[in-house]
Amino acid sequence: MRSNSKPHSPFNTKLILICASVVLFVFLLITTTSSFSKPPISQSHLSNSTHPVDDSEPTPLDCPSLPLTPTCTKTPPSLANALIHYATTNITPQQTLKEISVSARVLEKKAPCNFLVFGLGHDSLMWAGLNHGGRTVFLEEDKAWIEQIKQKLPSLESYHVEYVTKVHQADELLETGMKEECKVVGDPRFSKCDLALKGFPNEIYDIEWDLIMVDAPTGFHDEAPGRMNAIYTAGLMARNREEGETDVFVHDVNRVVEDKFSMAFLCEGYLREQQGLLRHFTIPSHRSRSGRPFCP
């Protein structure tokens, strides 16, 4: 039986195909644009979130996601001991905040390093903490004080040293330091200069010190040992290093000995900064360049 329906014309079929193609193209275009407009969701965000992500509020780019594996870092013992010590005592370091900041800035750049300190005091634990991971050694004149500190702070490395000079001999020793044998750079143990200290443990001479702090021995009265030899020896050790430079600090430069001897043997030309009663010198190796004058 023949159908009575009207057959489709070729023109109508082509129009339908064209319209369908346009609709499909527009749909694909909208879908693609929408997918690109959404911010990507990081894998770490998915891993750490137990709630669905709200696409309406994109995650800020400057907000880091939480680590997949949380870590726990313990406070280093030297820092922990320092925090506990200063939090539970009313005794504070003798240097002011501004003075301490001078040395602290250098330690921030150089630590961990080798740090030699003339004197054992209330600030010793602070210096050891600021030089965490390095070696901080203290040289002290008072045996009884060393034992007292060791009982409270056994982690500090200190050695007893003896001084045979007196503050009232300072002028004579300053003249001695001007002699030629005192301008020769070398190991203090073998120096012919009477100012050179020769009684330290051998390892003190064998180590190249990156920082040296002269805040001892006692020097506030005429019968005290004074810091004449300590200042000269610190400068000699700095010059005798194989290469590089040593930062040397001298405290109490308001006193005559510390003022004159630091300028004479650490040299005004090497002076980098003075803050309050503290002077900071940077002394280069004299072994790495022959012919370098004792003072620039």
Side-chain angles (χ1 to χ4, degrees):
M1 175 179 193
R2 180 181 291 187
S3 173
N4 294 324
S5 64
K6 188 178 181 179
H8 298 289
S9 68
F11 175 78
N12 290 338
T13 303
K14 290 181 179 179
L15 182 60
I16 292 172
L17 290 174
I18 292 173
C19 291
S21 300
V22 171
V23 171
L24 180 61
F25 174 78
V26 172
F27 174 78
L28 291 174
L29 181 62
I30 293 174
T31 304
T32 306
T33 304
S34 176
S35 64
F36 277 103
S37 64
K38 295 179 182 179
I41 301 173
S42 65
Q43 185 65 35
S44 60
H45 186 90
L46 288 172
S47 301
N48 290 294
S49 177
T50 57
H51 303 285
V53 178
D54 184 2
D55 290 341
S56 63
E57 295 181 8
T59 304
L61 296 179
D62 58 347
C63 182
S65 59
L66 295 174
L68 294 176
T69 307
T71 59
C72 179
T73 303
K74 295 177 65 176
T75 302
S78 59
L79 299 180
N81 291 337
L83 288 171
I84 295 171
H85 173 74
Y86 292 114
T88 56
T89 181
N90 293 325
I91 303 175
T92 57
Q94 292 177 313
Q95 294 187 28
T96 66
L97 174 60
K98 290 184 178 180
E99 292 168 354
I100 291 172
S101 297
V102 175
S103 309
R105 284 194 296 269
V106 177
L107 279 169
E108 185 178 4
K109 296 178 181 177
K110 290 192 170 184
C113 63
N114 294 321
F115 187 12
L116 179 65
V117 183
F118 285 81
L120 181 66
H122 299 297
D123 55 0
S124 298
L125 197 59
M126 175 190 68
W127 296 129
L130 290 173
N131 189 32
H132 169 66
R135 185 174 184 182
T136 307
V137 177
F138 303 92
L139 304 177
E140 173 57 39
E141 67 195 274
D142 189 339
K143 270 188 177 181
W145 178 245
I146 292 177
E147 293 304 316
Q148 184 177 341
I149 292 296
K150 278 186 175 180
Q151 291 179 4
K152 295 180 179 179
L153 308 170
S155 62
L156 297 180
E157 182 180 0
S158 60
Y159 299 94
H160 177 248
V161 295
E162 295 181 351
Y163 300 92
V164 297
T165 56
K166 303 293 182 184
V167 169
H168 64 75
Q169 300 173 316
D171 290 339
E172 180 184 345
L173 291 171
L174 189 60
E175 291 183 9
T176 298
M178 297 298 110
K179 296 179 180 179
E180 284 304 314
E181 59 263 30
C182 293
K183 304 296 182 182
V184 177
V185 175
D187 191 320
R189 287 172 291 188
F190 312 117
S191 174
K192 295 181 179 180
C193 181
D194 292 337
L195 279 171
L197 292 168
K198 302 177 174 67
F200 299 157
N202 286 330
E203 59 183 321
I204 300 298
Y205 300 102
D206 295 335
I207 296 173
E208 289 192 346
W209 299 101
D210 302 296
L211 281 81
I212 302 178
M213 173 75 71
V214 181
D215 205 2
T218 309
F220 61 88
H221 59 88
D222 283 349
E223 294 301 316
R227 300 176 185 174
M228 299 81 68
N229 302 70
I231 293 172
Y232 173 83
T233 304
L236 191 58
M237 286 179 165
R239 292 177 176 87
N240 192 51
R241 65 181 297 147
E242 188 171 344
E243 58 183 6
E245 60 187 24
T246 301
D247 291 280
V248 182
F249 306 88
V250 179
H251 194 223
D252 298 317
V253 295
N254 59 315
R255 301 194 301 220
V256 174
V257 167
E258 285 80 356
D259 176 31
K260 289 186 176 180
F261 276 73
S262 65
M263 287 302 194
F265 301 115
L266 303 181
C267 305
E268 186 173 3
Y270 291 142
L271 178 63
R272 292 294 173 263
E273 180 181 359
Q274 178 170 339
Q275 182 64 252
L277 307 182
L278 186 82
R279 282 180 186 159
H280 170 207
F281 301 82
T282 302
I283 302 178
S285 166
H286 282 217
R287 291 172 58 187
S288 61
R289 197 183 84 180
S290 60
R292 191 191 294 266
F294 191 81
C295 282

